[in-house]
């Protein structure tokens, strides 16, 4: 299945070179999503020498697989911040996120970035009676967080009538995330930042501040991991849950769907919006979240498509994709210098476009030695066992469950001879467990099933043709190469003769 997002399919190419030399800089940024690219521009504007390394192309990861929605609240509900922390913390979150959205707005206009940026209203509503209470809790929590929300009785057509009142929040925003981040990258490069694509980081020496790719090396005063989950082993990974969420885009008639961010909550949770790209209009539906490597991706994507067909009469799906997100135990992201001495920005859940922009400003301030009022709340070295107890217990249980299933209980395997073209599975071969994939042309590719990050065992993702780790979210291509971290090293290749 072709799994490219509507954003990645319709954005202009970035066209940056591959690193093939040894260079130095004040700051090396690992990751070319919205966090890394925004930070690159922030540093360039202040005259700080920076190098950005992207493993694929700019915006390839979570940025290019997002919803393209920008908002000052959070998708899970700002009332969770009020409940876990307090009203003051929730107000600080909303204020900082509002400033990040405004920064994006200003830069789109300043640099004339063609990314379909628009201000719009955000709607949160119940699709079933049992979800009405969550909308009411969010309304009360939003008021405590200082959000200018109000209740309405109906949704714009053609959305189905909601179950109960609709929470509305004005002056939020939407854009084409891939087009924005690539436009921003060009501005950063024009102002002196050296950006390299197809430059996968294969080694990080945190003590010597050296980052290596297969063809080059960067020595810098500071290392920033803008990779969604920081590369390598970091303490915060023990407190985060890795999830995947699915998206699709279907062509619809222009002006047939209203502008806005629509979040429906009930038996299923859906995020819906539309977007105009050149002469086409698409309805974008996102939902069906589950822990990475622990569900059947094909079933999840099929359920999302069925929901879109049932609610919006979607007939032909043009694009399908999924994205990874990381949720923290205490509800706030980790941004700043961590115990390794490097800067990280992670734990954004499904709110990464706005949090990533916010994180870039915060890290730029800390590198320059400037105070940032939001920094103490999200510091990467914090530990909140009481506020994050439930989330930490969930993550620990998830990891232990995966380890028991894969190491203690005999995991179901497939006979190598029964592995069909286009399929992947854990197989037994000469008393060894292997992660094997047979390509459509019959070529067999086998790798070790043990994740190189923390030694959990990977699971096959049939939708995206990848091996996904259920413990901390590392993902690998069929040949074992790293698609996304925190793993740095590839799965060990196994060469089988006569198969």
């Amino acid at each position: 299945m072709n799994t490219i997002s509507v954003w990645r399919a319709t954005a202009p190419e970035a066209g940056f070179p591959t690193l093939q030399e040894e260079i130095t800089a004040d700051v090396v940024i690992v990751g070319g999503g919205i966090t890394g690219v925004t930070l690159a521009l922030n540093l360039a504007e202040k005259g700080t020498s920076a190098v950005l390394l992207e493993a694929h192309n700019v915006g390839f990861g979570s940025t290019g697989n997002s919803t393209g929605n920008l908002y000052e609240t959070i998708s899970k509900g700002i009332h969770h911040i009020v409940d876990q922390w307090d009203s003051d913390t929730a107000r600080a979150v909303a204020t900082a996120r509002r400033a990040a959205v405004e920064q994006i707005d200003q830069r789109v206009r300043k640099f004339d970035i063609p990314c379909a940026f628009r201000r719009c209203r955000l709607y949160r509503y119940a699709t079933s009676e049992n979800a009405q209470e969550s909308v009411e809790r969010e309304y009360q929590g939003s008021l405590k967080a200082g959000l200018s929300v109000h209740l309405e009785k109906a949704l714009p057509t053609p959305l189905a009538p909601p179950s109960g009142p609709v929470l509305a929040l004005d002056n939020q925003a939407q854009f084409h995330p891939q087009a924005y981040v690539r436009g921003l990258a060009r501005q950063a490069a024009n102002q002196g930042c050296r950006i390299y694509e197809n430059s996968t980081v294969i080694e990080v020496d945190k003590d010597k501040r050296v980052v290596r790719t297969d063809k080059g090396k960067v020595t810098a005063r500071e290392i920033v991991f803008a990779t969604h989950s920081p590369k390598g082993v970091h303490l915060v990974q023990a407190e985060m849950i890795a999830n995947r969420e699915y998206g699709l885009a279907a062509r619809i008639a222009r002006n047939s769907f209203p502008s806005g961010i629509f979040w429906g909550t009930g038996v299923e949770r859906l995020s819906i919006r539309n977007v105009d790209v050149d002469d086409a209009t698409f309805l974008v539906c996102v939902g069906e979240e589950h822990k990475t490597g622990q569900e059947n991706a094909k079933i999840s994507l099929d359920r999302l498509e069925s929901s879109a067909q049932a609610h919006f009469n979607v007939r032909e799906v043009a694009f399908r994709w999924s994205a990874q997100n990381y949720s923290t135990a205490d509800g706030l992201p980790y941004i700043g210098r961590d115990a390794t001495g490097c800067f990280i920005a992670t734990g954004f859940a499904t709110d990464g476009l706005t949090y990533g922009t916010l994180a870039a400003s915060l890290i730029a301030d800390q590198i320059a030695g400037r105070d940032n009022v939001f920094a103490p709340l999200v510091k990467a070295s914090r530990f909140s066992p009481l506020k994050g107890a439930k989330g930490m217990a969930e993550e620990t249980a998830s990891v232990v469950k995966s380890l028991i299933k894969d190491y203690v209980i005999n995991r179901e395997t497939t006979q190598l001879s029964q592995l069909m073209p286009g399929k992947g599975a854990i197989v037994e071969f000469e008393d060894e467990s292997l992660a094997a994939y047979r390509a459509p042309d019959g070529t067999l590719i086998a790798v070790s099933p043990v994740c190189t990050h923390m030694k959990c065992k990977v699971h096959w993702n049939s939708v995206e043709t990848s091996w996904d780790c259920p413990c901390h979210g590392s993902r690998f291509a069929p040949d074992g190469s790293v698609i996304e971290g925190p793993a740095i090293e590839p799965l060990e290749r196994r060469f089988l003769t006569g198969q």
Side-chain angles (χ1 to χ4, degrees):
M1 183 183 294
N2 184 11
T3 55
I4 187 170
S5 73
V6 64
W7 318 117
R8 290 173 54 207
T10 59
E13 290 296 323
F16 293 105
T18 300
L19 179 65
Q20 301 187 66
E21 57 185 324
E22 296 186 4
I23 58 178
T24 60
D26 292 329
V27 181
V28 58
I29 304 165
V30 182
I34 195 167
T35 306
V37 171
T38 304
L39 176 60
L41 181 55
N42 291 347
L43 295 175
E45 288 178 335
K46 297 299 182 182
T48 302
S49 170
V51 170
L52 186 149
L53 303 175
E54 166 54 43
H56 303 284
N57 48 59
V58 168
F60 175 86
S62 297
T63 297
N65 292 302
S66 63
T67 61
N69 292 328
L70 303 165
Y71 41 86
E72 59 201 64
T73 184
I74 59 175
S75 58
K76 184 180 178 181
I78 200 85
H79 74 271
H80 288 288
I81 303 296
V82 175
D83 294 343
Q84 278 190 277
W85 294 83
D86 50 44
S87 297
D88 288 342
T89 302
R91 282 179 177 270
V93 168
T95 299
R97 288 176 59 83
R98 188 180 306 121
V101 176
E102 182 61 30
Q103 181 189 108
I104 293 171
D105 190 346
Q106 291 174 355
R107 280 181 164 166
V108 168
R109 288 185 276 112
K110 178 180 179 180
F111 300 123
D112 194 23
I113 300 175
C115 63
F117 182 93
R118 66 188 181 194
R119 289 287 182 171
C120 64
R121 178 176 288 181
L122 184 153
Y123 300 87
R124 192 189 294 265
Y125 56 96
T127 58
S128 59
E129 187 176 347
N130 63 356
Q132 290 179 11
E133 184 182 352
S134 68
V135 175
E136 174 59 27
R137 286 203 309 270
E138 181 59 10
Y139 175 64
Q140 296 299 330
S142 297
L143 293 176
K144 293 176 182 177
L147 298 174
S148 299
V149 294
H150 63 277
L151 296 177
E152 298 192 349
K153 295 181 179 180
L155 289 165
T157 57
L159 285 97
S163 179
V166 176
L167 184 153
L169 178 61
D170 290 328
N171 205 34
Q172 306 310 290
Q174 294 174 322
F175 67 167
H176 187 308
Q178 189 89 335
Y180 171 77
V181 78
R182 288 185 174 173
L184 212 64
R186 284 188 286 273
Q187 293 298 325
N190 290 342
Q191 297 192 43
C193 180
R194 288 164 287 175
I195 299 178
Y196 298 94
E197 295 182 314
N198 301 304
S199 301
T200 302
V201 171
I202 59 173
E203 185 182 356
V204 178
D205 188 326
K206 298 165 187 172
D207 295 326
K208 295 182 179 180
R209 292 293 191 267
V210 174
V211 175
R212 291 183 176 86
T213 67
D214 60 346
K215 296 179 180 179
K217 181 176 79 171
V218 182
T219 303
R221 177 169 52 87
E222 300 285 5
I223 297 174
V224 180
F225 290 111
T227 50
H228 214 34
S229 177
K231 290 280 187 179
V233 178
H234 294 253
L235 290 175
V236 298
Q237 290 157 352
E239 300 179 16
M240 295 194 300
I241 298 171
N243 295 306
R244 290 199 76 75
E245 192 169 42
Y246 296 83
L248 61 83
R251 287 184 176 85
I252 58 174
R254 182 147 294 183
N255 300 321
S256 65
F257 196 86
S259 170
I261 302 168
F262 299 92
W263 287 343
T265 303
V267 177
E268 57 203 356
R269 186 176 69 89
L270 285 177
S271 173
I272 308 113
R273 63 163 292 189
N274 70 343
V275 61
D276 296 333
V277 182
D278 297 327
D279 59 349
T281 298
F282 297 94
L283 182 70
V284 178
C285 298
V286 174
E288 290 296 326
E289 186 179 63
H290 66 74
K291 291 181 177 62
T292 300
Q294 297 190 30
E295 298 288 342
N296 186 309
K298 180 65 166 58
I299 292 175
S300 295
L301 197 51
D302 286 346
R303 280 200 299 255
L304 178 62
E305 189 166 336
S306 296
S307 295
Q309 290 171 343
H311 293 293
F312 305 106
N313 197 28
V314 166
R315 297 185 181 276
E316 182 183 354
V317 176
F319 302 101
R320 300 172 178 85
W321 68 94
S322 72
Q324 193 133 301
N325 67 77
Y326 295 83
S327 300
T328 63
D330 63 10
L332 295 177
Y334 293 109
I335 304 170
R337 197 186 299 276
D338 76 350
T340 68
C342 301
F343 286 95
I344 67 171
T346 188
F348 298 161
T350 53
D351 307 307
L353 294 174
T354 305
Y355 266 143
T357 303
L358 186 164
S361 295
L362 192 157
I363 292 173
D365 284 345
Q366 291 187 329
I367 288 174
R370 296 187 296 265
D371 290 334
N372 185 297
V373 295
F374 196 61
L377 282 177
V378 294
K379 61 183 181 181
S381 60
R382 76 179 186 274
F383 182 61
S384 307
L386 295 179
K387 291 182 174 65
K390 182 179 178 181
M392 289 179 63
E394 184 178 353
E395 167 60 4
T396 301
S398 177
V399 172
V400 171
K401 178 182 177 181
S402 296
L403 290 171
I404 291 175
K405 179 180 178 181
D406 293 331
Y407 282 98
V408 179
I409 301 172
N410 288 328
R411 181 170 165 186
E412 183 178 347
T413 59
T414 299
Q415 293 296 319
L416 186 57
S417 60
Q418 296 176 351
L419 190 62
M420 302 300 293
K423 303 294 184 181
I426 301 299
V427 302
E428 293 294 330
F429 181 75
E430 295 182 351
D431 297 325
E432 184 180 10
S433 180
L434 300 174
Y437 169 71
R438 196 177 296 279
D441 64 1
T443 302
L444 181 68
I445 305 172
V447 296
S448 166
V450 180
C451 177
T452 56
H453 178 239
M454 294 288 283
K455 307 307 179 184
C456 293
K457 290 191 176 181
V458 295
H459 292 226
W460 179 244
N461 179 335
S462 61
V463 169
E464 295 171 292
T465 318
S466 64
W467 295 106
D468 298 354
C469 178
C471 291
H472 300 104
S474 296
R475 299 180 60 241
F476 306 86
D479 66 357
S481 57
V482 178
I483 296 175
E484 60 183 294
I488 295 177
E489 298 178 8
L491 299 177
E492 187 175 347
R493 189 75 181 266
R494 298 285 195 267
F495 294 94
L496 312 181
T497 58
Q499 298 298 320

